[in-house]
Amino acid sequence: MPCVHIQESDGLDELVAIMLDVVCSAKKTFWVNSEEMPKEAVKSRFLKLTHEHIEYVLLSLKRNTSEVKNIRAFLTTMLYNAPTTKDAFFTALVNHDMYGSA
């Protein structure tokens, strides 16, 4: 698992700020995956995030080459999905590195 480097600290601060906004918000819903979700569901998922999930989101963001029009919505969705996509992402990455495009 890669470590968060100093130059990534700004990205880390942004992720933490988004997580705090959700957890502390008085809003009843948030948009995740282009779908309106109950705040409590998003809050619950965010409170379970670990440093590994955050590192995964930062790595995925660093590797993204697509244009992102709404970065806040994009990051909220990435954080929400991290617990269910992290392991598959790293498995695919290791498989690619070990076996290449053979």
PDB file of all heavy atoms in Angstrom, residues 32-72:
ATOM      1  N   VAL A  32     -24.718  10.892  -4.652  1.00  0.00           N
ATOM      2  CA  VAL A  32     -23.612   9.942  -4.789  1.00  0.00           C
ATOM      3  C   VAL A  32     -23.947   9.034  -5.960  1.00  0.00           C
ATOM      4  O   VAL A  32     -25.068   8.525  -6.045  1.00  0.00           O
ATOM      5  CB  VAL A  32     -23.430   9.099  -3.505  1.00  0.00           C
ATOM      6  CG1 VAL A  32     -22.330   8.082  -3.677  1.00  0.00           C
ATOM      7  CG2 VAL A  32     -23.161   9.982  -2.295  1.00  0.00           C
ATOM      8  N   ASN A  33     -22.995   8.820  -6.851  1.00  0.00           N
ATOM      9  CA  ASN A  33     -23.235   7.976  -8.035  1.00  0.00           C
ATOM     10  C   ASN A  33     -24.427   8.491  -8.841  1.00  0.00           C
ATOM     11  O   ASN A  33     -25.226   7.708  -9.352  1.00  0.00           O
ATOM     12  CB  ASN A  33     -23.489   6.518  -7.643  1.00  0.00           C
ATOM     13  CG  ASN A  33     -22.284   5.855  -7.044  1.00  0.00           C
ATOM     14  OD1 ASN A  33     -21.158   6.107  -7.445  1.00  0.00           O
ATOM     15  ND2 ASN A  33     -22.515   5.006  -6.050  1.00  0.00           N
ATOM     16  N   SER A  34     -24.573   9.805  -8.933  1.00  0.00           N
ATOM     17  CA  SER A  34     -25.688  10.441  -9.646  1.00  0.00           C
ATOM     18  C   SER A  34     -27.044  10.031  -9.089  1.00  0.00           C
ATOM     19  O   SER A  34     -28.042   9.990  -9.809  1.00  0.00           O
ATOM     20  CB  SER A  34     -25.624  10.125 -11.147  1.00  0.00           C
ATOM     21  OG  SER A  34     -24.422  10.608 -11.691  1.00  0.00           O
ATOM     22  N   GLU A  35     -27.077   9.709  -7.823  1.00  0.00           N
ATOM     23  CA  GLU A  35     -28.300   9.271  -7.170  1.00  0.00           C
ATOM     24  C   GLU A  35     -28.406   9.961  -5.813  1.00  0.00           C
ATOM     25  O   GLU A  35     -27.421  10.086  -5.095  1.00  0.00           O
ATOM     26  CB  GLU A  35     -28.217   7.754  -6.979  1.00  0.00           C
ATOM     27  CG  GLU A  35     -29.475   7.090  -6.561  1.00  0.00           C
ATOM     28  CD  GLU A  35     -29.304   5.579  -6.548  1.00  0.00           C
ATOM     29  OE1 GLU A  35     -28.804   5.016  -7.538  1.00  0.00           O
ATOM     30  OE2 GLU A  35     -29.667   4.971  -5.533  1.00  0.00           O
ATOM     31  N   GLU A  36     -29.602  10.380  -5.451  1.00  0.00           N
ATOM     32  CA  GLU A  36     -29.799  11.010  -4.145  1.00  0.00           C
ATOM     33  C   GLU A  36     -29.811   9.931  -3.068  1.00  0.00           C
ATOM     34  O   GLU A  36     -30.567   8.971  -3.148  1.00  0.00           O
ATOM     35  CB  GLU A  36     -31.114  11.792  -4.138  1.00  0.00           C
ATOM     36  CG  GLU A  36     -31.163  12.847  -3.073  1.00  0.00           C
ATOM     37  CD  GLU A  36     -32.320  13.809  -3.274  1.00  0.00           C
ATOM     38  OE1 GLU A  36     -33.228  13.515  -4.073  1.00  0.00           O
ATOM     39  OE2 GLU A  36     -32.297  14.853  -2.620  1.00  0.00           O
ATOM     40  N   MET A  37     -28.925  10.107  -2.090  1.00  0.00           N
ATOM     41  CA  MET A  37     -28.763   9.119  -1.017  1.00  0.00           C
ATOM     42  C   MET A  37     -29.078   9.763   0.326  1.00  0.00           C
ATOM     43  O   MET A  37     -28.756  10.934   0.538  1.00  0.00           O
ATOM     44  CB  MET A  37     -27.320   8.611  -0.982  1.00  0.00           C
ATOM     45  CG  MET A  37     -26.810   7.987  -2.250  1.00  0.00           C
ATOM     46  SD  MET A  37     -27.385   6.309  -2.451  1.00  0.00           S
ATOM     47  CE  MET A  37     -26.580   5.503  -1.116  1.00  0.00           C
ATOM     48  N   PRO A  38     -29.656   9.007   1.260  1.00  0.00           N
ATOM     49  CA  PRO A  38     -29.885   9.555   2.595  1.00  0.00           C
ATOM     50  C   PRO A  38     -28.552   9.925   3.263  1.00  0.00           C
ATOM     51  O   PRO A  38     -27.568   9.194   3.138  1.00  0.00           O
ATOM     52  CB  PRO A  38     -30.549   8.410   3.358  1.00  0.00           C
ATOM     53  CG  PRO A  38     -30.985   7.430   2.334  1.00  0.00           C
ATOM     54  CD  PRO A  38     -30.113   7.630   1.137  1.00  0.00           C
ATOM     55  N   LYS A  39     -28.542  11.058   3.927  1.00  0.00           N
ATOM     56  CA  LYS A  39     -27.324  11.526   4.587  1.00  0.00           C
ATOM     57  C   LYS A  39     -26.763  10.456   5.521  1.00  0.00           C
ATOM     58  O   LYS A  39     -25.558  10.236   5.570  1.00  0.00           O
ATOM     59  CB  LYS A  39     -27.601  12.800   5.377  1.00  0.00           C
ATOM     60  CG  LYS A  39     -26.398  13.243   6.193  1.00  0.00           C
ATOM     61  CD  LYS A  39     -26.799  14.092   7.361  1.00  0.00           C
ATOM     62  CE  LYS A  39     -25.598  14.297   8.253  1.00  0.00           C
ATOM     63  NZ  LYS A  39     -25.902  15.076   9.403  1.00  0.00           N
ATOM     64  N   GLU A  40     -27.613   9.786   6.263  1.00  0.00           N
ATOM     65  CA  GLU A  40     -27.137   8.812   7.243  1.00  0.00           C
ATOM     66  C   GLU A  40     -26.395   7.649   6.591  1.00  0.00           C
ATOM     67  O   GLU A  40     -25.438   7.128   7.158  1.00  0.00           O
ATOM     68  CB  GLU A  40     -28.293   8.309   8.120  1.00  0.00           C
ATOM     69  CG  GLU A  40     -28.828   9.367   9.066  1.00  0.00           C
ATOM     70  CD  GLU A  40     -27.758   9.990   9.969  1.00  0.00           C
ATOM     71  OE1 GLU A  40     -26.912   9.256  10.500  1.00  0.00           O
ATOM     72  OE2 GLU A  40     -27.768  11.221  10.120  1.00  0.00           O
ATOM     73  N   ALA A  41     -26.797   7.258   5.396  1.00  0.00           N
ATOM     74  CA  ALA A  41     -26.100   6.186   4.680  1.00  0.00           C
ATOM     75  C   ALA A  41     -24.710   6.644   4.253  1.00  0.00           C
ATOM     76  O   ALA A  41     -23.726   5.915   4.404  1.00  0.00           O
ATOM     77  CB  ALA A  41     -26.908   5.733   3.466  1.00  0.00           C
ATOM     78  N   VAL A  42     -24.633   7.865   3.735  1.00  0.00           N
ATOM     79  CA  VAL A  42     -23.339   8.408   3.304  1.00  0.00           C
ATOM     80  C   VAL A  42     -22.455   8.653   4.524  1.00  0.00           C
ATOM     81  O   VAL A  42     -21.272   8.299   4.530  1.00  0.00           O
ATOM     82  CB  VAL A  42     -23.538   9.709   2.486  1.00  0.00           C
ATOM     83  CG1 VAL A  42     -22.202  10.265   2.014  1.00  0.00           C
ATOM     84  CG2 VAL A  42     -24.457   9.456   1.295  1.00  0.00           C
ATOM     85  N   LYS A  43     -23.020   9.226   5.560  1.00  0.00           N
ATOM     86  CA  LYS A  43     -22.279   9.493   6.797  1.00  0.00           C
ATOM     87  C   LYS A  43     -21.715   8.197   7.379  1.00  0.00           C
ATOM     88  O   LYS A  43     -20.542   8.130   7.753  1.00  0.00           O
ATOM     89  CB  LYS A  43     -23.198  10.174   7.808  1.00  0.00           C
ATOM     90  CG  LYS A  43     -22.562  10.428   9.155  1.00  0.00           C
ATOM     91  CD  LYS A  43     -23.549  11.088  10.106  1.00  0.00           C
ATOM     92  CE  LYS A  43     -22.990  11.205  11.501  1.00  0.00           C
ATOM     93  NZ  LYS A  43     -23.936  11.854  12.425  1.00  0.00           N
ATOM     94  N   SER A  44     -22.532   7.162   7.432  1.00  0.00           N
ATOM     95  CA  SER A  44     -22.094   5.875   7.969  1.00  0.00           C
ATOM     96  C   SER A  44     -20.912   5.316   7.193  1.00  0.00           C
ATOM     97  O   SER A  44     -19.923   4.850   7.768  1.00  0.00           O
ATOM     98  CB  SER A  44     -23.253   4.879   7.945  1.00  0.00           C
ATOM     99  OG  SER A  44     -22.822   3.608   8.340  1.00  0.00           O
ATOM    100  N   ARG A  45     -20.990   5.397   5.871  1.00  0.00           N
ATOM    101  CA  ARG A  45     -19.902   4.886   5.022  1.00  0.00           C
ATOM    102  C   ARG A  45     -18.642   5.716   5.234  1.00  0.00           C
ATOM    103  O   ARG A  45     -17.545   5.177   5.337  1.00  0.00           O
ATOM    104  CB  ARG A  45     -20.359   4.912   3.566  1.00  0.00           C
ATOM    105  CG  ARG A  45     -19.405   4.387   2.545  1.00  0.00           C
ATOM    106  CD  ARG A  45     -19.418   2.876   2.329  1.00  0.00           C
ATOM    107  NE  ARG A  45     -20.627   2.268   1.891  1.00  0.00           N
ATOM    108  CZ  ARG A  45     -20.870   1.859   0.650  1.00  0.00           C
ATOM    109  NH1 ARG A  45     -19.994   2.050  -0.297  1.00  0.00           N
ATOM    110  NH2 ARG A  45     -21.992   1.257   0.366  1.00  0.00           N
ATOM    111  N   PHE A  46     -18.780   7.048   5.315  1.00  0.00           N
ATOM    112  CA  PHE A  46     -17.623   7.926   5.498  1.00  0.00           C
ATOM    113  C   PHE A  46     -16.948   7.693   6.844  1.00  0.00           C
ATOM    114  O   PHE A  46     -15.728   7.741   6.949  1.00  0.00           O
ATOM    115  CB  PHE A  46     -18.035   9.393   5.374  1.00  0.00           C
ATOM    116  CG  PHE A  46     -18.155   9.879   3.946  1.00  0.00           C
ATOM    117  CD1 PHE A  46     -18.195   9.007   2.874  1.00  0.00           C
ATOM    118  CD2 PHE A  46     -18.240  11.228   3.687  1.00  0.00           C
ATOM    119  CE1 PHE A  46     -18.315   9.468   1.569  1.00  0.00           C
ATOM    120  CE2 PHE A  46     -18.346  11.708   2.387  1.00  0.00           C
ATOM    121  CZ  PHE A  46     -18.380  10.816   1.326  1.00  0.00           C
ATOM    122  N   LEU A  47     -17.730   7.432   7.881  1.00  0.00           N
ATOM    123  CA  LEU A  47     -17.152   7.217   9.212  1.00  0.00           C
ATOM    124  C   LEU A  47     -16.380   5.900   9.307  1.00  0.00           C
ATOM    125  O   LEU A  47     -15.585   5.714  10.228  1.00  0.00           O
ATOM    126  CB  LEU A  47     -18.245   7.274  10.287  1.00  0.00           C
ATOM    127  CG  LEU A  47     -18.829   8.661  10.538  1.00  0.00           C
ATOM    128  CD1 LEU A  47     -19.997   8.577  11.518  1.00  0.00           C
ATOM    129  CD2 LEU A  47     -17.757   9.619  11.054  1.00  0.00           C
ATOM    130  N   LYS A  48     -16.596   5.004   8.364  1.00  0.00           N
ATOM    131  CA  LYS A  48     -15.895   3.713   8.346  1.00  0.00           C
ATOM    132  C   LYS A  48     -14.636   3.730   7.481  1.00  0.00           C
ATOM    133  O   LYS A  48     -13.910   2.738   7.425  1.00  0.00           O
ATOM    134  CB  LYS A  48     -16.836   2.614   7.857  1.00  0.00           C
ATOM    135  CG  LYS A  48     -17.984   2.360   8.806  1.00  0.00           C
ATOM    136  CD  LYS A  48     -18.956   1.370   8.230  1.00  0.00           C
ATOM    137  CE  LYS A  48     -20.165   1.239   9.148  1.00  0.00           C
ATOM    138  NZ  LYS A  48     -21.264   0.537   8.497  1.00  0.00           N
ATOM    139  N   LEU A  49     -14.365   4.844   6.805  1.00  0.00           N
ATOM    140  CA  LEU A  49     -13.188   4.918   5.937  1.00  0.00           C
ATOM    141  C   LEU A  49     -11.908   4.853   6.757  1.00  0.00           C
ATOM    142  O   LEU A  49     -11.817   5.423   7.847  1.00  0.00           O
ATOM    143  CB  LEU A  49     -13.213   6.207   5.111  1.00  0.00           C
ATOM    144  CG  LEU A  49     -14.324   6.316   4.075  1.00  0.00           C
ATOM    145  CD1 LEU A  49     -14.294   7.683   3.402  1.00  0.00           C
ATOM    146  CD2 LEU A  49     -14.230   5.208   3.051  1.00  0.00           C
ATOM    147  N   THR A  50     -10.925   4.148   6.216  1.00  0.00           N
ATOM    148  CA  THR A  50      -9.614   4.031   6.854  1.00  0.00           C
ATOM    149  C   THR A  50      -8.577   4.750   5.999  1.00  0.00           C
ATOM    150  O   THR A  50      -8.873   5.202   4.891  1.00  0.00           O
ATOM    151  CB  THR A  50      -9.204   2.548   6.987  1.00  0.00           C
ATOM    152  OG1 THR A  50      -8.978   2.019   5.662  1.00  0.00           O
ATOM    153  CG2 THR A  50     -10.269   1.733   7.712  1.00  0.00           C
ATOM    154  N   HIS A  51      -7.351   4.788   6.512  1.00  0.00           N
ATOM    155  CA  HIS A  51      -6.276   5.420   5.738  1.00  0.00           C
ATOM    156  C   HIS A  51      -6.070   4.694   4.409  1.00  0.00           C
ATOM    157  O   HIS A  51      -5.713   5.320   3.419  1.00  0.00           O
ATOM    158  CB  HIS A  51      -4.971   5.466   6.550  1.00  0.00           C
ATOM    159  CG  HIS A  51      -4.306   4.142   6.695  1.00  0.00           C
ATOM    160  ND1 HIS A  51      -4.727   3.189   7.610  1.00  0.00           N
ATOM    161  CD2 HIS A  51      -3.260   3.605   6.036  1.00  0.00           C
ATOM    162  CE1 HIS A  51      -3.951   2.120   7.492  1.00  0.00           C
ATOM    163  NE2 HIS A  51      -3.050   2.348   6.556  1.00  0.00           N
ATOM    164  N   GLU A  52      -6.318   3.404   4.365  1.00  0.00           N
ATOM    165  CA  GLU A  52      -6.160   2.664   3.110  1.00  0.00           C
ATOM    166  C   GLU A  52      -7.176   3.130   2.066  1.00  0.00           C
ATOM    167  O   GLU A  52      -6.853   3.230   0.884  1.00  0.00           O
ATOM    168  CB  GLU A  52      -6.305   1.165   3.352  1.00  0.00           C
ATOM    169  CG  GLU A  52      -5.149   0.585   4.134  1.00  0.00           C
ATOM    170  CD  GLU A  52      -5.309  -0.889   4.401  1.00  0.00           C
ATOM    171  OE1 GLU A  52      -6.441  -1.424   4.272  1.00  0.00           O
ATOM    172  OE2 GLU A  52      -4.306  -1.522   4.751  1.00  0.00           O
ATOM    173  N   HIS A  53      -8.397   3.407   2.492  1.00  0.00           N
ATOM    174  CA  HIS A  53      -9.409   3.908   1.558  1.00  0.00           C
ATOM    175  C   HIS A  53      -9.002   5.281   1.022  1.00  0.00           C
ATOM    176  O   HIS A  53      -9.142   5.555  -0.170  1.00  0.00           O
ATOM    177  CB  HIS A  53     -10.777   4.014   2.239  1.00  0.00           C
ATOM    178  CG  HIS A  53     -11.317   2.705   2.697  1.00  0.00           C
ATOM    179  ND1 HIS A  53     -11.535   2.424   4.020  1.00  0.00           N
ATOM    180  CD2 HIS A  53     -11.665   1.601   2.006  1.00  0.00           C
ATOM    181  CE1 HIS A  53     -12.013   1.198   4.127  1.00  0.00           C
ATOM    182  NE2 HIS A  53     -12.099   0.674   2.912  1.00  0.00           N
ATOM    183  N   ILE A  54      -8.497   6.132   1.902  1.00  0.00           N
ATOM    184  CA  ILE A  54      -8.079   7.474   1.499  1.00  0.00           C
ATOM    185  C   ILE A  54      -6.904   7.391   0.527  1.00  0.00           C
ATOM    186  O   ILE A  54      -6.866   8.097  -0.489  1.00  0.00           O
ATOM    187  CB  ILE A  54      -7.710   8.331   2.726  1.00  0.00           C
ATOM    188  CG1 ILE A  54      -8.888   8.429   3.704  1.00  0.00           C
ATOM    189  CG2 ILE A  54      -7.217   9.706   2.307  1.00  0.00           C
ATOM    190  CD1 ILE A  54     -10.150   8.993   3.144  1.00  0.00           C
ATOM    191  N   GLU A  55      -5.933   6.529   0.815  1.00  0.00           N
ATOM    192  CA  GLU A  55      -4.791   6.350  -0.083  1.00  0.00           C
ATOM    193  C   GLU A  55      -5.257   5.858  -1.445  1.00  0.00           C
ATOM    194  O   GLU A  55      -4.757   6.301  -2.480  1.00  0.00           O
ATOM    195  CB  GLU A  55      -3.784   5.381   0.527  1.00  0.00           C
ATOM    196  CG  GLU A  55      -3.048   5.969   1.706  1.00  0.00           C
ATOM    197  CD  GLU A  55      -2.176   4.962   2.429  1.00  0.00           C
ATOM    198  OE1 GLU A  55      -2.240   3.749   2.125  1.00  0.00           O
ATOM    199  OE2 GLU A  55      -1.424   5.385   3.316  1.00  0.00           O
ATOM    200  N   TYR A  56      -6.225   4.958  -1.455  1.00  0.00           N
ATOM    201  CA  TYR A  56      -6.780   4.451  -2.706  1.00  0.00           C
ATOM    202  C   TYR A  56      -7.435   5.575  -3.503  1.00  0.00           C
ATOM    203  O   TYR A  56      -7.220   5.698  -4.714  1.00  0.00           O
ATOM    204  CB  TYR A  56      -7.778   3.326  -2.405  1.00  0.00           C
ATOM    205  CG  TYR A  56      -8.775   3.065  -3.498  1.00  0.00           C
ATOM    206  CD1 TYR A  56      -8.369   2.606  -4.750  1.00  0.00           C
ATOM    207  CD2 TYR A  56     -10.132   3.264  -3.290  1.00  0.00           C
ATOM    208  CE1 TYR A  56      -9.295   2.362  -5.761  1.00  0.00           C
ATOM    209  CE2 TYR A  56     -11.064   3.014  -4.284  1.00  0.00           C
ATOM    210  CZ  TYR A  56     -10.635   2.567  -5.517  1.00  0.00           C
ATOM    211  OH  TYR A  56     -11.542   2.333  -6.504  1.00  0.00           O
ATOM    212  N   VAL A  57      -8.225   6.416  -2.843  1.00  0.00           N
ATOM    213  CA  VAL A  57      -8.881   7.532  -3.524  1.00  0.00           C
ATOM    214  C   VAL A  57      -7.835   8.489  -4.094  1.00  0.00           C
ATOM    215  O   VAL A  57      -7.936   8.918  -5.249  1.00  0.00           O
ATOM    216  CB  VAL A  57      -9.855   8.270  -2.579  1.00  0.00           C
ATOM    217  CG1 VAL A  57     -10.337   9.581  -3.190  1.00  0.00           C
ATOM    218  CG2 VAL A  57     -11.042   7.374  -2.243  1.00  0.00           C
ATOM    219  N   LEU A  58      -6.804   8.808  -3.303  1.00  0.00           N
ATOM    220  CA  LEU A  58      -5.751   9.714  -3.788  1.00  0.00           C
ATOM    221  C   LEU A  58      -5.013   9.115  -4.979  1.00  0.00           C
ATOM    222  O   LEU A  58      -4.722   9.812  -5.954  1.00  0.00           O
ATOM    223  CB  LEU A  58      -4.778  10.061  -2.658  1.00  0.00           C
ATOM    224  CG  LEU A  58      -5.328  10.981  -1.572  1.00  0.00           C
ATOM    225  CD1 LEU A  58      -4.358  11.059  -0.404  1.00  0.00           C
ATOM    226  CD2 LEU A  58      -5.622  12.367  -2.127  1.00  0.00           C
ATOM    227  N   LEU A  59      -4.702   7.830  -4.923  1.00  0.00           N
ATOM    228  CA  LEU A  59      -4.020   7.163  -6.035  1.00  0.00           C
ATOM    229  C   LEU A  59      -4.914   7.143  -7.276  1.00  0.00           C
ATOM    230  O   LEU A  59      -4.463   7.438  -8.381  1.00  0.00           O
ATOM    231  CB  LEU A  59      -3.617   5.743  -5.648  1.00  0.00           C
ATOM    232  CG  LEU A  59      -2.941   4.919  -6.734  1.00  0.00           C
ATOM    233  CD1 LEU A  59      -1.618   5.553  -7.160  1.00  0.00           C
ATOM    234  CD2 LEU A  59      -2.707   3.493  -6.255  1.00  0.00           C
ATOM    235  N   SER A  60      -6.180   6.821  -7.091  1.00  0.00           N
ATOM    236  CA  SER A  60      -7.113   6.790  -8.224  1.00  0.00           C
ATOM    237  C   SER A  60      -7.263   8.165  -8.851  1.00  0.00           C
ATOM    238  O   SER A  60      -7.306   8.295 -10.076  1.00  0.00           O
ATOM    239  CB  SER A  60      -8.484   6.283  -7.770  1.00  0.00           C
ATOM    240  OG  SER A  60      -8.393   4.962  -7.318  1.00  0.00           O
ATOM    241  N   LEU A  61      -7.330   9.180  -8.016  1.00  0.00           N
ATOM    242  CA  LEU A  61      -7.444  10.549  -8.512  1.00  0.00           C
ATOM    243  C   LEU A  61      -6.197  10.944  -9.295  1.00  0.00           C
ATOM    244  O   LEU A  61      -6.284  11.548 -10.364  1.00  0.00           O
ATOM    245  CB  LEU A  61      -7.673  11.506  -7.344  1.00  0.00           C
ATOM    246  CG  LEU A  61      -7.945  12.950  -7.684  1.00  0.00           C
ATOM    247  CD1 LEU A  61      -9.189  13.083  -8.551  1.00  0.00           C
ATOM    248  CD2 LEU A  61      -8.113  13.764  -6.407  1.00  0.00           C
ATOM    249  N   LYS A  62      -5.042  10.554  -8.792  1.00  0.00           N
ATOM    250  CA  LYS A  62      -3.777  10.859  -9.458  1.00  0.00           C
ATOM    251  C   LYS A  62      -3.692  10.185 -10.835  1.00  0.00           C
ATOM    252  O   LYS A  62      -3.155  10.751 -11.778  1.00  0.00           O
ATOM    253  CB  LYS A  62      -2.622  10.395  -8.570  1.00  0.00           C
ATOM    254  CG  LYS A  62      -1.265  10.796  -9.039  1.00  0.00           C
ATOM    255  CD  LYS A  62      -0.232  10.337  -8.019  1.00  0.00           C
ATOM    256  CE  LYS A  62       1.137  10.842  -8.348  1.00  0.00           C
ATOM    257  NZ  LYS A  62       2.121  10.471  -7.338  1.00  0.00           N
ATOM    258  N   ARG A  63      -4.264   8.986 -10.953  1.00  0.00           N
ATOM    259  CA  ARG A  63      -4.210   8.228 -12.200  1.00  0.00           C
ATOM    260  C   ARG A  63      -5.312   8.617 -13.188  1.00  0.00           C
ATOM    261  O   ARG A  63      -5.264   8.236 -14.345  1.00  0.00           O
ATOM    262  CB  ARG A  63      -4.313   6.729 -11.896  1.00  0.00           C
ATOM    263  CG  ARG A  63      -3.122   6.203 -11.132  1.00  0.00           C
ATOM    264  CD  ARG A  63      -3.383   4.788 -10.627  1.00  0.00           C
ATOM    265  NE  ARG A  63      -3.777   3.879 -11.679  1.00  0.00           N
ATOM    266  CZ  ARG A  63      -2.996   2.976 -12.259  1.00  0.00           C
ATOM    267  NH1 ARG A  63      -1.758   2.854 -11.848  1.00  0.00           N
ATOM    268  NH2 ARG A  63      -3.442   2.193 -13.207  1.00  0.00           N
ATOM    269  N   ASN A  64      -6.306   9.363 -12.742  1.00  0.00           N
ATOM    270  CA  ASN A  64      -7.431   9.734 -13.598  1.00  0.00           C
ATOM    271  C   ASN A  64      -6.981  10.712 -14.690  1.00  0.00           C
ATOM    272  O   ASN A  64      -6.316  11.699 -14.411  1.00  0.00           O
ATOM    273  CB  ASN A  64      -8.541  10.378 -12.762  1.00  0.00           C
ATOM    274  CG  ASN A  64      -9.718  10.778 -13.607  1.00  0.00           C
ATOM    275  OD1 ASN A  64     -10.274   9.962 -14.321  1.00  0.00           O
ATOM    276  ND2 ASN A  64     -10.070  12.038 -13.544  1.00  0.00           N
ATOM    277  N   THR A  65      -7.380  10.426 -15.910  1.00  0.00           N
ATOM    278  CA  THR A  65      -7.053  11.318 -17.028  1.00  0.00           C
ATOM    279  C   THR A  65      -8.314  11.911 -17.653  1.00  0.00           C
ATOM    280  O   THR A  65      -8.226  12.671 -18.614  1.00  0.00           O
ATOM    281  CB  THR A  65      -6.255  10.573 -18.110  1.00  0.00           C
ATOM    282  OG1 THR A  65      -7.012   9.444 -18.558  1.00  0.00           O
ATOM    283  CG2 THR A  65      -4.909  10.111 -17.574  1.00  0.00           C
ATOM    284  N   SER A  66      -9.481  11.570 -17.110  1.00  0.00           N
ATOM    285  CA  SER A  66     -10.748  12.091 -17.634  1.00  0.00           C
ATOM    286  C   SER A  66     -11.006  13.493 -17.111  1.00  0.00           C
ATOM    287  O   SER A  66     -10.579  13.855 -16.021  1.00  0.00           O
ATOM    288  CB  SER A  66     -11.909  11.202 -17.190  1.00  0.00           C
ATOM    289  OG  SER A  66     -11.716   9.896 -17.621  1.00  0.00           O
ATOM    290  N   GLU A  67     -11.746  14.259 -17.899  1.00  0.00           N
ATOM    291  CA  GLU A  67     -12.167  15.580 -17.438  1.00  0.00           C
ATOM    292  C   GLU A  67     -13.237  15.407 -16.367  1.00  0.00           C
ATOM    293  O   GLU A  67     -14.178  14.636 -16.534  1.00  0.00           O
ATOM    294  CB  GLU A  67     -12.736  16.387 -18.604  1.00  0.00           C
ATOM    295  CG  GLU A  67     -13.207  17.761 -18.188  1.00  0.00           C
ATOM    296  CD  GLU A  67     -13.837  18.548 -19.321  1.00  0.00           C
ATOM    297  OE1 GLU A  67     -14.100  17.963 -20.390  1.00  0.00           O
ATOM    298  OE2 GLU A  67     -14.063  19.742 -19.127  1.00  0.00           O
ATOM    299  N   VAL A  68     -13.063  16.115 -15.273  1.00  0.00           N
ATOM    300  CA  VAL A  68     -14.032  16.066 -14.178  1.00  0.00           C
ATOM    301  C   VAL A  68     -14.692  17.435 -14.088  1.00  0.00           C
ATOM    302  O   VAL A  68     -14.026  18.428 -13.800  1.00  0.00           O
ATOM    303  CB  VAL A  68     -13.355  15.702 -12.839  1.00  0.00           C
ATOM    304  CG1 VAL A  68     -14.367  15.712 -11.708  1.00  0.00           C
ATOM    305  CG2 VAL A  68     -12.653  14.351 -12.943  1.00  0.00           C
ATOM    306  N   LYS A  69     -15.983  17.475 -14.335  1.00  0.00           N
ATOM    307  CA  LYS A  69     -16.690  18.760 -14.354  1.00  0.00           C
ATOM    308  C   LYS A  69     -17.131  19.196 -12.962  1.00  0.00           C
ATOM    309  O   LYS A  69     -17.172  20.381 -12.674  1.00  0.00           O
ATOM    310  CB  LYS A  69     -17.880  18.688 -15.291  1.00  0.00           C
ATOM    311  CG  LYS A  69     -17.432  18.482 -16.724  1.00  0.00           C
ATOM    312  CD  LYS A  69     -18.565  18.527 -17.689  1.00  0.00           C
ATOM    313  CE  LYS A  69     -17.957  18.246 -19.054  1.00  0.00           C
ATOM    314  NZ  LYS A  69     -18.765  18.639 -20.134  1.00  0.00           N
ATOM    315  N   ASN A  70     -17.475  18.257 -12.101  1.00  0.00           N
ATOM    316  CA  ASN A  70     -17.895  18.578 -10.743  1.00  0.00           C
ATOM    317  C   ASN A  70     -17.011  17.780  -9.787  1.00  0.00           C
ATOM    318  O   ASN A  70     -17.360  16.664  -9.388  1.00  0.00           O
ATOM    319  CB  ASN A  70     -19.374  18.259 -10.540  1.00  0.00           C
ATOM    320  CG  ASN A  70     -19.883  18.663  -9.175  1.00  0.00           C
ATOM    321  OD1 ASN A  70     -19.120  18.869  -8.238  1.00  0.00           O
ATOM    322  ND2 ASN A  70     -21.198  18.767  -9.050  1.00  0.00           N
ATOM    323  N   ILE A  71     -15.877  18.353  -9.423  1.00  0.00           N
ATOM    324  CA  ILE A  71     -14.891  17.626  -8.643  1.00  0.00           C
ATOM    325  C   ILE A  71     -15.429  17.227  -7.273  1.00  0.00           C
ATOM    326  O   ILE A  71     -15.112  16.159  -6.760  1.00  0.00           O
ATOM    327  CB  ILE A  71     -13.554  18.407  -8.533  1.00  0.00           C
ATOM    328  CG1 ILE A  71     -12.441  17.523  -7.965  1.00  0.00           C
ATOM    329  CG2 ILE A  71     -13.726  19.663  -7.718  1.00  0.00           C
ATOM    330  CD1 ILE A  71     -12.000  16.412  -8.852  1.00  0.00           C
ATOM    331  N   ARG A  72     -16.252  18.068  -6.670  1.00  0.00           N
ATOM    332  CA  ARG A  72     -16.801  17.744  -5.352  1.00  0.00           C
ATOM    333  C   ARG A  72     -17.687  16.497  -5.428  1.00  0.00           C
ATOM    334  O   ARG A  72     -17.579  15.592  -4.595  1.00  0.00           O
ATOM    335  CB  ARG A  72     -17.561  18.925  -4.783  1.00  0.00           C
ATOM    336  CG  ARG A  72     -18.055  18.689  -3.378  1.00  0.00           C
ATOM    337  CD  ARG A  72     -18.719  19.945  -2.819  1.00  0.00           C
ATOM    338  NE  ARG A  72     -19.218  19.700  -1.499  1.00  0.00           N
ATOM    339  CZ  ARG A  72     -18.476  19.727  -0.391  1.00  0.00           C
ATOM    340  NH1 ARG A  72     -17.198  20.005  -0.461  1.00  0.00           N
ATOM    341  NH2 ARG A  72     -19.015  19.485   0.783  1.00  0.00           N
TER     342      ARG A  72
END
